[in-house]
Amino acid sequence: MSSNQENQSVDNAAASAAEDNKLIAQRREKLAAIREKRNAFPNAFRRDSLAADLHAKFAEHSREELELQGHPVKVAGRLIRQRGPFSVIQDSSDQIQLYVNHKALPAEMMAEIKSLDLGDIVGVSGVMFRTGKGELTVNVEELQLLTKALRPLPDKWKGLSDTELRYRQRYVDLIANEESRRTFKLRSQIIACMRQYFEQHQFMEVETPMMQVIPGGATAKPFITHHNALDQTMYLRIAPELYLKRLVVGGFEKVFEINRNFRNEGLSTRHNPEFTMVEFYQAYADYHDLMNFTEDMMRHIAEQVLGNSVVTYQGLEIDFAQPFNRLSVRDAVLKHCDEVSEADLADRDSLKSAAEKFGIKVDDGWGSGRILMEIFDEKVEHHLLQPTFITEYPTEVSPLARRSDDNPEVTDRFELIIGGRELANGFSELNDAEDQAARFREQVEQKDAGDDEAMHYDADYINALEYGMPPTAGEGIGIDRLIMLFTDSASIKDVLLFPHMRPTAV
RNA sequence: GGGGCGUUAGCUCAGUGGUAGAGCAGUUGGCUUUUAACCAAUUGGUCGAUGGUUCGAAUCCAUCACGCCCCA
């Protein structure tokens, strides 16, 4: 920023001070006083320690040992608590206590320290010691204000609990709420662990277009945008699937992508318009291979990141060490829904009357596969708490999956259900270019008939398949839902740093 | 889209028709190896918005906005 602009913004700040509440006005006055004396925003302080490092390094040091050593440190962070001569600063790693002995420090420095507010960012030089109560503390020899905070922090004990403010002003949430910091650190670690797992298994990370001319790979309403120079309608992707499979055609036989998808749908505790998925494809593998891989990966993440194979989600203990259950849609319905007998599954009519017993309105266009899935969704899915692979999805509801060799009515597909919710979806891929072209044509007919979620015909994708895609299996895992599970979060908004919110009224 | 709940000081919350409250934060002073530090004094409000009912509305009614939960 040029000095001219800077002056202007400073003037604007002064002009708006009258509109601030008293707490902010007082802080602005303190800042103005500092500007009189020196550069109020110095950037020459260099710390040599993080709070967590100090706690780790001196964990075993007694009061006497520390006093003998007189170990000097430089730390920096946000001032988050003050109690008498003690303060606490918080950096990215942890918190560390400061001791300000007013008898030992020059009067001028004491005056500056006295005018500090909670939220200010300071740099401190001092010596490590341990208080009478045993708390590791920096005995302050020099303290410098590095950044004045103009806005007061939330309640020091309760933090920020207003959910709306936590989501809209995540920066305040992160300053004030340890739980929130923990969630997002875990999110980062889980994704890093997953990425590492893929790399260890010789998968190659790729990035495919997020702005697409033909949105494909799923049935969903896309967001529409426009490229000005090309005067072209473009869509934010609903899935990376068709591009990743083009790469398998090209000879990258194990690929994965961790990135955002965008779907133009409603919001809920489990849906955000943009969400993160990992999709991965492996040539010369089938859906059984992916189930084994997924089971292993989940167990690995739980053990590596949480240090425990048992995850507690909303009071429910989920054990990743146990072998995951595996059963077909059909067997799951029979096992978990006492009202349905084998005879009910015999044909469409018997399925229809079974579904209607549960208040499901059966559409004339639905085949027996669709009706079976409606019963599953309504009566079974929420019972599947421990990790469970559901297999043999009806062909009718699986337009992208390969038909089973044993039974053309079902596909080589699975979903992973944990805690009653779908977490992953995978299948052996359809690599028959002519079959795929026919399925696209069916989708286009549905689109022409008014279904705005139906797929486009992607001629280039057919072209790719015509070059030959090896037998391949692919899978998508909803990262946000996985993070919810591993961080015991009830809402997807709790695992998104900046969840989508309606604009506030002015 | 429908239903329920919520919105009061910077933050966390009381307050169901009669002078707008508490704790924390802030300010002033005391205390200086404390642990949500403590003691004393003190500042701080468009009660989400707009209408209505009433002598009188944070409180009752209607509409709207935003959020949370449940349902579609």
Side-chain angles (χ1 to χ4, degrees):
Chain A
M1 189 185 272
S2 76
S3 63
N4 195 27
Q5 281 172 318
E6 195 174 311
N7 289 338
Q8 203 170 27
S9 67
V10 168
D11 289 348
N12 290 343
S16 71
E19 296 167 21
D20 293 333
N21 73 47
K22 197 172 170 184
L23 296 179
I24 296 175
Q26 281 167 352
R27 288 171 180 238
R28 284 195 198 281
E29 283 166 22
K30 289 179 182 177
L31 174 59
I34 295 159
R35 285 189 207 276
E36 295 289 314
K37 286 191 282 186
R38 58 175 163 83
N39 182 350
F41 294 89
N43 190 357
F45 185 85
R46 294 293 176 267
R47 64 182 166 191
D48 59 23
S49 310
L50 288 172
D53 299 338
L54 295 175
H55 287 299
K57 190 170 176 184
F58 298 112
E60 305 300 325
H61 289 58
S62 67
R63 286 190 79 182
E64 293 71 25
E65 285 170 314
L66 281 170
E67 188 150 358
L68 269 172
Q69 285 184 358
H71 191 92
V73 294
K74 298 181 98 173
V75 292
R78 190 182 296 276
L79 195 63
I80 56 158
R81 265 192 287 287
Q82 277 189 303
R83 39 174 183 259
F86 295 95
S87 299
V88 178
I89 60 167
Q90 173 172 287
D91 65 25
S92 62
S93 71
D94 202 348
Q95 304 172 351
I96 185 84
Q97 179 168 270
L98 311 178
Y99 176 64
V100 176
N101 185 349
H102 70 322
K103 288 169 185 158
L105 294 170
E108 198 176 330
M109 192 181 296
M110 273 314 298
E112 271 217 25
I113 289 173
K114 261 200 120 186
S115 76
L116 289 174
D117 291 298
L118 294 184
D120 289 351
I121 291 165
V122 297
V124 174
S125 308
V127 173
M128 297 311 299
F129 79 109
R130 204 176 279 285
T131 65
K133 302 282 182 185
E135 177 147 355
L136 190 68
T137 304
V138 180
N139 189 4
V140 174
E141 292 175 342
E142 214 178 320
L143 186 148
Q144 195 184 357
L145 175 66
L146 302 178
T147 305
K148 184 72 192 166
L150 295 176
R151 293 182 179 273
L153 292 181
D155 192 283
K156 70 174 179 182
W157 180 239
K158 301 224 171 168
L160 184 67
S161 61
D162 182 305
T163 51
E164 186 171 356
L165 278 179
R166 289 184 48 230
Y167 299 148
R168 287 189 195 278
Q169 300 186 31
R170 183 66 84 186
Y171 38 91
V172 183
D173 179 42
L174 290 171
I175 292 168
N177 297 334
E178 163 67 23
E179 193 52 34
S180 190
R181 289 195 294 278
R182 185 182 104 70
T183 294
F184 290 105
K185 282 180 186 174
L186 271 177
R187 179 177 177 123
S188 173
Q189 289 164 9
I190 288 165
I191 292 172
C193 183
M194 180 178 277
R195 178 170 274 126
Q196 195 179 36
Y197 191 84
F198 278 111
E199 282 164 0
Q200 280 166 358
H201 289 78
Q202 288 75 51
F203 279 82
M204 174 174 135
E205 182 165 15
V206 296
E207 291 134 286
T208 64
M210 300 181 67
M211 298 177 68
Q212 304 180 347
V213 177
I214 299 173
T219 50
K221 275 187 233 175
F223 285 91
I224 302 172
T225 186
H226 186 256
H227 190 291
N228 287 343
L230 297 178
D231 188 23
Q232 183 177 44
T233 298
M234 299 194 82
Y235 302 88
L236 302 187
R237 78 175 184 198
I238 53 176
E241 172 151 350
L242 301 186
Y243 283 95
L244 292 172
K245 286 194 281 199
R246 282 171 169 95
L247 296 179
V248 177
V249 170
F252 291 148
E253 294 170 349
K254 293 175 98 173
V255 292
F256 75 103
E257 176 166 9
I258 299 175
N259 225 320
R260 232 68 65 80
N261 292 336
F262 306 85
R263 296 188 184 174
N264 209 336
E265 294 160 356
L267 286 73
S268 80
T269 46
R270 291 180 295 283
H271 298 86
N272 195 63
E274 56 179 309
F275 60 98
T276 302
M277 292 261 291
V278 58
E279 275 201 24
F280 55 104
Y281 291 81
Q282 178 175 357
Y284 311 108
D286 68 11
Y287 73 115
H288 287 110
D289 298 311
L290 292 193
M291 284 193 281
N292 294 338
F293 180 86
T294 303
E295 181 168 343
D296 237 43
M297 180 166 67
M298 295 289 173
R299 195 169 291 142
H300 176 79
I301 292 171
E303 283 166 2
Q304 289 291 305
V305 178
L306 303 177
N308 190 345
S309 67
V310 179
V311 174
T312 302
Y313 186 71
Q314 309 288 289
L316 168 74
E317 288 202 343
I318 296 165
D319 189 353
F320 286 91
Q322 299 298 317
F324 292 12
N325 299 315
R326 300 186 186 198
L327 71 172
S328 67
V329 174
R330 199 186 140 87
D331 290 344
V333 169
L334 290 173
K335 182 174 174 189
H336 291 280
C337 188
D338 292 338
E339 301 99 312
V340 174
S341 69
E342 198 134 0
D344 291 324
L345 305 182
D347 56 41
R348 186 181 184 280
D349 284 345
S350 59
L351 272 165
K352 183 179 179 208
S353 49
E356 284 170 345
K357 274 193 299 192
F358 307 135
I360 296 168
K361 287 182 220 122
V362 177
D363 195 287
D364 285 345
W366 296 358
S368 50
R370 175 70 188 270
I371 300 171
L372 179 66
M373 284 318 300
E374 293 289 330
I375 295 173
F376 176 85
D377 289 344
E378 177 74 21
K379 302 299 289 184
V380 179
E381 191 172 62
H382 62 274
H383 289 305
L384 303 173
L385 302 177
Q386 294 303 316
T388 303
F389 289 112
I390 297 295
T391 58
E392 296 179 36
Y393 276 72
T395 305
E396 186 184 353
V397 297
S398 312
L400 297 162
R402 183 180 182 278
R403 281 180 209 272
S404 163
D405 292 336
D406 302 326
N407 176 3
E409 295 298 308
V410 299
T411 54
D412 290 343
R413 174 183 170 195
F414 67 88
E415 286 194 4
L416 173 59
I417 317 264
I418 304 178
R421 290 176 187 169
E422 174 198 338
L423 208 83
N425 178 23
F427 38 82
S428 302
E429 300 294 336
L430 177 63
N431 61 341
D432 177 339
E434 292 174 354
D435 188 355
Q436 182 69 72
R439 295 200 198 185
F440 273 157
R441 281 192 291 272
E442 281 169 27
Q443 290 286 320
V444 170
E445 276 172 33
Q446 288 176 29
K447 193 166 209 57
D448 291 344
D451 182 353
D452 53 5
E453 291 193 359
M455 293 175 180
H456 295 65
Y457 189 97
D458 191 334
D460 180 73
Y461 179 65
I462 297 298
N463 191 60
L465 288 189
E466 286 170 352
Y467 277 92
M469 180 170 78
T472 297
E475 178 177 343
I477 300 174
I479 297 285
D480 305 305
R481 290 184 185 182
L482 182 72
I483 309 289
M484 285 171 69
L485 188 68
F486 280 171
T487 59
D488 197 13
S489 300
S491 168
I492 195 170
K493 288 189 169 76
D494 293 323
V495 301
L496 299 170
L497 282 166
F498 300 101
H500 181 74
M501 303 288 279
R502 289 174 201 262
T504 46
V506 176

